[in-house]
Every structure is written in C-alpha cells, then in structure tokens.
C-alpha cells in the first residue's frame, strides 16, 4: 500500500493535500475532497517526485516541491493556481523543499540544500512572492539555523512570522525579517 505524508489543509478545511509515497514509485500529490472523500486533483509528473504541498492562506494557490518535468536530482519549488488551470510556475533555481506560507500569503519559507552557496549546508529561506502579473519571487533572505538535520521540520507562527524549528525533541524560536 501507499504511505501518506501530511501536507496541508485548505483554508476552508474542505480539502486536504498530501503526498502519496510508495517504494519504487515516484511520489505524487493528491488533493482530497473531504465531503465525499474523492480525489479532486493529482499533481504528478512521470519520472519525477512531487511532495510537500502547501495551500496559500487564501486557498487560491498550492506550493510544492518537485524534481521538475525531467526528474532533476534537486527539488525545486513550484506554484500552481487552485482550482487547477494547467499553469505551473517554478519559484526556485537553487533548490527548495518543504514550503510554508506566511499568514498573509506574501512570503514562502522553505528549506534549501545549498544555503548561501555553501556546499553540503542546509538552511532556511524566506522569499517574498508577488503573484501579479504571474507568480515570481522578488526577494530571498537566508535564515541560518544551527544543526538543521534532514528530518527537521518547521512552521511559521500565525501572528509575527516567527519560525519554529523542531528537531524531534526541542523547539527554537527564530525571528525572521520584519519585511
């Protein structure tokens, strides 16, 4: 069977997006309608993993990590409108995974595999996202995190863009840019 990795609730809580994982098969993102428990939309690219879905606070966009159309070895962040239109926008060039939206929907926080050009060092990034005339990043700010492990997760607080980094045992608070 499949393993399901939690992703994101839609703001109205009528849908949930999650990653379907099965050994030997590439990961896909499924968006499930909760009223009738039917798959509403699947984000899948043949030969490429899609994971870490995150609905925007207004529910009009879904950010996720993908190996792209060619199954690249480094995950990149993508953004698609929701409900889907067929449009897909790549937001990163140097890698990105585990996107988390700020409460106002103006920033995406995400993990990067190569923080500020330092090989084999992972960190977090805060990116200002402008959705008009098409989704693109206008600014990136690195957030150094000591001891960031591969299984570390993080969240953005609802009120003040405080980043909470959880390493399985302890949590730390890190103030992000006031922008």
């Amino acid at each position: 069977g499949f393993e399901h990795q939690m992703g994101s609730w839609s703001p109205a809580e009528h849908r949930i997006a999650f990653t379907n994982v099965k050994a030997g098969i590439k990961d896909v993102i499924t968006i499930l309608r909760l009223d009738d428990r039917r798959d509403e939309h699947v984000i899948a690219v043949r030969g490429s993993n899609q994971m870490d879905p995150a609905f925007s606070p207004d529910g009009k966009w879904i950010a996720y990590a993908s190996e792209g159309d060619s199954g690249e070895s480094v995950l990149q962040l993508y953004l698609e409108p929701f409900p889907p239109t067929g449009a897909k926008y790549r937001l990163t060039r140097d890698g990105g995974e585990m996107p988390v939206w700020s409460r106002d929907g103006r920033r995406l926080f995400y993990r990067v595999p190569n923080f500020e050009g330092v090989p084999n060092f992972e960190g977090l990034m805060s990116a200002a996202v402008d959705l008009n005339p098409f989704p693109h990043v206008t600014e990136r700010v690195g957030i150094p995190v000591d001891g960031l492990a591969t299984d570390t997760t993080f969240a953005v607080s609802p009120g003040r863009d405080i980043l909470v980094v959880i390493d399985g045992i302890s949590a730390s608070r890190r103030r992000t840019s006031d922008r």
Side-chain angles (χ1 to χ4, degrees):
F2 284 92
E3 174 188 333
H4 301 108
Q5 294 176 347
M6 180 58 184
S8 179
W9 288 92
S10 66
E13 297 184 1
H14 297 289
R15 295 176 177 89
I16 188 168
F18 57 91
T19 304
N20 271 330
V21 181
K22 186 171 184 179
I25 298 176
K26 295 293 184 176
D27 301 349
V28 299
I29 294 171
T30 300
I31 299 172
L32 181 73
R33 289 192 319 232
L34 296 178
D35 56 354
D36 59 8
R37 297 180 184 206
R38 296 184 61 155
D39 292 355
E40 179 174 27
H41 180 62
V42 175
I43 299 173
V45 176
R46 186 181 193 100
S48 174
N49 284 310
Q50 322 304 305
M51 59 190 69
D52 306 329
F55 277 107
S56 63
D58 64 6
K60 295 180 180 178
W61 297 92
I62 189 161
Y64 61 94
S66 171
E67 292 172 334
D69 294 332
S70 59
E72 300 168 17
S73 61
V74 176
L75 291 166
Q76 303 291 344
L77 288 189
Y78 286 82
L79 194 59
E80 289 190 17
F82 191 82
T85 64
K88 176 170 70 172
Y89 303 93
R90 184 171 170 169
L91 297 179
T92 60
R93 297 276 174 229
D94 297 322
E97 58 186 83
M98 298 175 64
V100 176
W101 290 91
S102 63
R103 188 174 192 150
D104 63 9
R106 294 182 188 167
R107 296 193 85 77
L108 270 174
F109 297 87
Y110 59 95
R111 290 177 60 111
V112 290
N114 198 1
F115 183 70
E116 294 183 351
V118 178
N120 301 319
F121 176 86
E122 291 195 12
L124 299 174
M125 193 69 70
S126 169
V129 178
D130 187 350
L131 299 172
N132 293 310
F134 58 88
H136 61 284
V137 172
T138 59
E139 170 196 46
R140 286 182 176 82
V141 177
I143 304 168
V145 179
D146 294 332
L148 185 67
T150 325
D151 59 351
T152 301
T153 58
F154 65 96
V156 179
S157 76
R160 299 180 43 218
D161 282 353
I162 301 281
L163 197 61
V164 178
V165 179
I166 303 164
D167 64 9
I169 298 170
S170 63
S172 63
R173 293 167 51 111
R174 176 119 57 225
R175 188 165 195 43
T176 64
S177 169
D178 286 325
R179 296 176 203 181

